[in-house]
């Protein structure tokens, strides 16, 4: 026997597909716990607030509702999860690409990533595409370097964003810079 909630879902979907904003709002509200869970899981490995991922998930859910076809004999939740995760991952990727932009201006008091790599010796960054080198790093190293050198976060701020201690961030940063140096000097 279907619960009342599940029984009225097809009607809500149909109304939302025909532009009923209240029906779409009801569907979004019903899916919030799942969106929070998915966004927290994804944000634990990335430097993006989970709230932003929830918003991206809402967009994915709205797209899924608009494209949902009841004739496929699949529940909306089953159909929607790939759409939701797709939007969340797209948001993570776009954040990563913004981090890899080398055009951002920086204050004079902080060292740039370029200065760190040149200080390591033996790296001619005039000939190297730093973006390609960054892409060869593990995801956690890319995120860390992005936060520290492109977003100008302190180690303490980075630690808070990544749910780690400042000591762990310091060690991870050293390893990430060593890995990047090794890639650049191959």
């Amino acid at each position: 026997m279907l619960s009342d909630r599940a029984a009225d879902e097809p009607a809500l979907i149909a109304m939302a597909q025909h532009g009923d904003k209240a029906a779409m709002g009801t569907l979004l509200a019903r899916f919030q716990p799942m969106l929070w869970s998915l966004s927290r899981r994804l944000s634990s490995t990335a430097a993006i607030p989970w709230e932003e991922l929830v918003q991206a998930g809402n967009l994915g859910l709205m797209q899924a509702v608009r494209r949902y076809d009841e004739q496929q004999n699949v529940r909306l939740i089953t159909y929607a999860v790939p759409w939701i995760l797709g939007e969340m991952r797209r948001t993570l990727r776009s954040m990563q690409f913004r981090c890899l932009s080398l055009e951002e201006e920086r204050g004079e008091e902080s060292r740039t990533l370029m200065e760190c790599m040149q200080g390591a010796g033996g790296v001619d960054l005039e000939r190297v595409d730093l973006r390609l080198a960054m892409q060869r790093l593990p995801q956690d190293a890319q995120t860390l370097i992005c936060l520290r050198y492109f977003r100008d976060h302190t180690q303490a701020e980075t630690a808070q964003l990544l749910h780690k201690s400042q000591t762990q961030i310091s060690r991870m940063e050293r390893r990430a810079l060593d890995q990047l140096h090794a890639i650049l000097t191959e």
Side-chain angles (χ1 to χ4, degrees):
M1 177 171 216
L2 289 175
S3 69
D4 289 339
R5 218 173 133 152
D8 73 344
E9 192 171 275
L12 284 171
I13 294 168
M15 291 180 348
Q17 288 176 335
H18 288 95
D20 187 329
K21 291 181 181 179
M24 183 66 81
T26 301
L27 288 169
L28 289 173
R30 286 185 182 179
F31 280 85
Q32 286 310 296
M34 181 192 62
L35 291 172
W36 293 340
S37 174
L38 292 172
S39 68
R40 281 196 174 111
R41 187 170 26 144
L42 288 175
S43 72
S44 69
T45 61
I48 188 168
W50 69 271
E51 295 90 352
E52 286 186 42
L53 292 177
V54 169
Q55 290 303 316
N58 280 323
L59 291 175
L61 177 58
M62 288 189 297
Q63 290 173 352
V65 168
R66 287 186 200 113
R67 290 179 167 84
Y68 180 74
D69 181 4
E70 192 176 290
Q71 302 302 320
Q72 294 177 341
N73 290 328
V74 173
R75 290 187 59 210
L76 176 61
I77 192 166
T78 305
Y79 181 78
V81 167
W83 286 92
I84 293 165
L85 288 173
E87 275 304 313
M88 289 179 175
R89 289 183 178 126
R90 192 170 298 112
T91 298
L92 288 169
R93 279 194 304 273
S94 71
M95 183 264 190
Q96 181 180 8
F97 287 128
R98 285 193 310 263
C99 284
L100 293 179
S101 169
L102 301 178
E103 305 292 319
E104 295 184 39
E105 292 190 23
R106 304 177 42 81
E108 290 183 22
E109 68 280 353
S110 60
R111 285 178 60 188
T112 66
L113 181 58
M114 302 287 233
E115 291 166 345
C116 286
M117 291 295 96
Q118 287 172 332
V123 179
D124 179 8
L125 291 174
E126 299 296 322
R127 301 178 303 137
V128 175
D129 188 341
L130 189 55
R131 280 179 216 212
L132 292 175
M134 286 278 293
Q135 290 173 354
R136 291 180 52 195
L137 291 174
Q139 182 63 46
D140 61 338
Q142 288 181 33
T143 300
L144 179 91
I145 288 176
C146 171
L147 288 171
R148 291 282 294 128
Y149 295 98
F150 296 100
R151 296 283 176 196
D152 290 329
H153 287 288
T154 65
Q155 282 187 352
E157 292 167 341
T158 302
Q160 186 175 22
L161 286 168
L162 298 180
H163 310 291
K164 306 229 182 253
S165 71
Q166 185 173 351
T167 304
Q168 288 173 308
I169 293 300
S170 178
R171 290 179 185 148
M172 288 173 62
E173 182 178 350
R174 182 73 259 148
R175 276 194 305 273
L177 290 174
D178 288 346
Q179 289 173 330
L180 188 57
H181 182 261
I183 290 168
L184 292 170
T185 56
E186 287 179 340

